[in-house]
Amino acid sequence: MAQPAEPEAAQRSPEAAAALEAVRDALAAKRNGEARERATSALERYGPDPELYALLGRAHVAEDDDDHDDEAERVYRRGLDAFPDNLVLLAAYAELCRAADGLERPGRAARAARLVARIEELAPGSPEAQQLRAPAPLWTTQSATPRHSLAHTQRHDVRQALAAAPGLAEAARLAEEEAGQHPHSLRLAIRAETLTAFTRPGRPLLLWLIRAPYLSVLAVLAVGALTLVLDASARWSVWAGAGAVLALVPYRLLTVLESGARIRAADRVLPLPAGALEPASPLSSPPPPGLRDFAVLGAALTLAVFALVSPVALRSVPAEPTDYPRYTVSPPYEFRGEPLASAVPVVDGVGSDLASLWTETLDVEGAFAYLYGDLSVLENSSGPDALIFGATGDFRGTPDVALKSYELGLSESDSTINEIWQPDAGPGGGRLRCVSYADDAEAPGAHVACSWADDGSLGTVVMNEHLDHDAASEAARTARDAVLHGGVHA
C-alpha cells in the first residue's frame, strides 16, 4: 500500500495551518494539555500531518512522566507509519530514545542509534542530523542491550558478591575496590553502589528479597493469606488492601534503592577514551531460571489467588452449602499440542522435581497447577509453554478484582502489558478476563494470560504464544473445561 504524501506547508489548507500554529503556540507557552488537545483535534479533522504528530509527541514528553513518554512513543510510531522518512518525526523519536534510561528502558534506548543512522542516511547535512551528533547520555552508550534485564543482572551481581565474601560490609568494600580498578565499567559501578546502599541502617533486611527472590514472593504472599484466614469474617476490601501493602511495600523499597544505585553509578562512570572499545566485564552472566524457580513462582501465584478469594470462600455460610458446583480436578495429558510436564496433585508417572516441590510446599485442598512443555528443554527456555493454575471451592460473589491478580503481578515485573480484554461470557457461565504482554526484547503480545471465575472455581491459564482475542478466550475455555469435571451441586 502506498504511503500518503507528506503535506508541505503550502499544501495545507488555511484552517489546517492555523490549527498547527495554535498547537505550536500552546506548546511554546508550556500549556501542554492544551497542545495535546489541539493536536489531537487537528489530526482528526484535517488528517495525518507529520508536524502535528511531532508536536503531539513533544507535548507528551514535556510532562516528564513515564506514562506520557510511552504515549509519545506510540504517537511517533503512528506518524512514522504514515510518513516513514519524515526528518522532523525521526528526529523527535530519536530524541525520546536517546533520553531513555538504558537501565530501565533498554529496548527504547537501543532504538536511538538506528533512528540517528536513518536520519544520516536520508539527510547527512540536515539540522536534524547535526543536532543528533551530540554525545548520547552515558547510560545509553555504556553497553549493548543485555541478554537479561539490567535489574535482573544487578540482583545477580549482588548475590554473587555476597556469596564470595564473609559479610555485607566486606562484599561492599571489595566491590568498591574492583569498581575503582575499572572506572569505565557501568556494571561494576552499579554493583558497588548497590552493596554500599544496603550497608545503611535498616536496609540489610531487604537483602532477603535479593538472596531468595522467588521464595521471598512465596513467603510474603503466605503471610498475607494467613492474615486473611485468621479473620475470615473481615470485609474483603479491607484485608485485600492490607495484603497488597504487605506484599508490595518491601519490593517498592527495594526498587527505589536499586534505581538510586543505578543513577549514582551512571554519574560516576568515566566515559571511554575516543576510539577505545569497552572492555569485557569480569562478571558472569546471570543463569536462566531453573525448574525449581518455576515451581516456587507457580506456588506463589496460587497463593495469590487464595489471598484474593479467601475472605469470600471463608465467610459465614451454612454448614452444608447446597448451591455452588463441586468440581473434581484432573489435568489433560496434553494442552495445545504440548505434553503435561508437572502437576499438583501429583499425577501418576510424573516424578519431576517440579511435582515433588509442589507436594512439599502446598497442602491446600482444592488447589491445582499444571505445567505443559518438554522438560528436557524447559531449563534453557523462557518458561513452560503453558501454565494452568487455580482453585476450587465456594467462590460465589467473588469480586471482579480477583480476575486481575495476574495483571497486578505483571505491573511489578519487567513485562509490558499490551492489551486487556474481557469477553462477554466466560466458561461455566462465569467471567473471563485476558491480558497480553511482552518484555522489551519480544514482539508485543508474545504471551497471553486469561483468568476465569465462576461459583465453584477460579483459575488462570498462561500461554507463551501470540494469540488473538478470540483464540486466547477459546483456549482459556478449553483449559478450564479440560481441568474441571462434574460441577455437581451438593
Side-chain angles (χ1 to χ4, degrees), residues 101-301:
D101 187 344
L103 299 170
E104 295 288 349
R105 296 297 180 95
R108 181 180 295 166
R111 284 189 282 275
R114 296 196 294 272
L115 292 164
V116 173
R118 180 59 177 161
I119 293 172
E120 289 283 1
E121 178 186 351
L122 292 171
S126 65
E128 290 82 5
Q130 294 176 5
Q131 179 181 353
L132 291 168
R133 283 173 187 161
L138 173 66
W139 54 78
T140 66
T141 59
Q142 283 293 318
S143 62
T145 301
R147 176 185 169 196
H148 301 277
S149 74
L150 288 169
H152 179 72
T153 302
Q154 181 180 10
R155 296 181 185 187
H156 164 77
D157 292 343
V158 169
R159 280 194 298 271
Q160 294 295 100
L162 292 172
L168 172 60
E170 181 65 10
R173 187 190 69 78
L174 293 173
E176 189 63 44
E177 182 178 299
E178 189 169 7
Q181 295 169 356
H182 300 83
H184 306 297
S185 173
L186 178 61
R187 187 172 171 187
L188 289 174
I190 290 174
R191 184 183 67 169
E193 289 290 345
T194 307
L195 285 165
T196 299
F198 275 120
T199 62
R200 292 167 187 158
R203 295 183 178 182
L205 295 175
L206 295 175
L207 276 177
W208 186 55
L209 306 180
I210 297 285
R211 294 181 185 272
Y214 295 106
L215 284 174
S216 63
V217 173
L218 181 62
V220 169
L221 289 173
V223 171
L226 178 62
T227 303
L228 295 170
V229 171
L230 291 178
D231 190 353
S233 63
R235 291 187 60 185
W236 188 91
S237 58
V238 174
W239 286 105
V245 171
L246 177 67
L248 299 180
V249 165
Y251 293 96
R252 181 57 185 165
L253 293 175
L254 177 62
T255 300
V256 171
L257 182 149
E258 291 172 332
S259 178
R262 293 196 293 266
I263 292 172
R264 291 191 298 275
D267 289 339
R268 67 181 266 184
V269 170
L270 299 179
L272 290 168
L277 296 177
E278 183 178 358
S281 173
L283 302 176
S284 63
S285 178
L291 291 176
R292 190 168 292 269
D293 296 326
F294 283 123
V296 175
L297 184 58
L301 290 172

